[in-house]
Amino acid sequence: MSAYNIVRFKVKPGMQKAFEEAHRIDPDFHGFHGGALVKTGDNTYCFVGCWESFDRIAAARPKMISMLDGFRHMLEDLGEGRGVTDPVSGDAVVEFHASED
């Protein structure tokens, strides 16, 4: 099974387009199978990434933090001690695959 990382963000007003553009990259992470930046509200987003394994996520963390540092100034604090991101990750226990129609 794959592993996934999910990160919630709240973008400062007026920074949405710049934030989206900061994610238009070709990530060079070993074991990264793909992902999406999802707009969940006016200023809120969620990133979902699919990985070969949880170990690959852990190995990529320094590079992911470096990327975050490039747009951290665009983000609002989420409160309750979370900082500017609300990340979670783990191994999939059930996966869904598209059916062939």
Side-chain angles (χ1 to χ4, degrees):
M1 292 249 196
S2 303
Y4 292 83
N5 73 310
I6 301 97
V7 185
R8 287 188 325 117
F9 306 95
K10 185 172 183 183
V11 179
K12 292 178 181 176
M15 300 297 293
Q16 295 89 340
K17 291 295 179 197
F19 178 75
E20 292 170 16
E21 288 302 314
H23 284 82
R24 295 186 194 283
I25 60 167
D26 185 15
D28 185 26
F29 296 118
H30 189 65
F32 181 68
H33 292 304
L37 180 66
V38 180
K39 188 172 175 81
T40 59
D42 289 339
N43 295 337
T44 57
Y45 294 81
C46 184
F47 174 81
V48 180
C50 180
W51 297 78
E52 176 182 303
S53 68
F54 186 78
D55 289 341
R56 296 291 186 203
I57 295 172
R61 280 189 186 127
K63 193 171 182 180
M64 287 190 280
I65 291 169
S66 177
M67 287 177 54
L68 170 63
D69 288 343
F71 57 82
R72 186 182 299 273
H73 67 282
M74 300 177 197
L75 303 175
E76 290 189 10
D77 191 292
L78 295 170
E80 300 178 9
R82 288 178 290 202
V84 296
T85 63
D86 185 14
V88 294
S89 57
D91 292 314
V93 295
V94 176
E95 290 186 305
F96 300 92
H97 300 281
S99 61
E100 295 183 27
D101 293 337

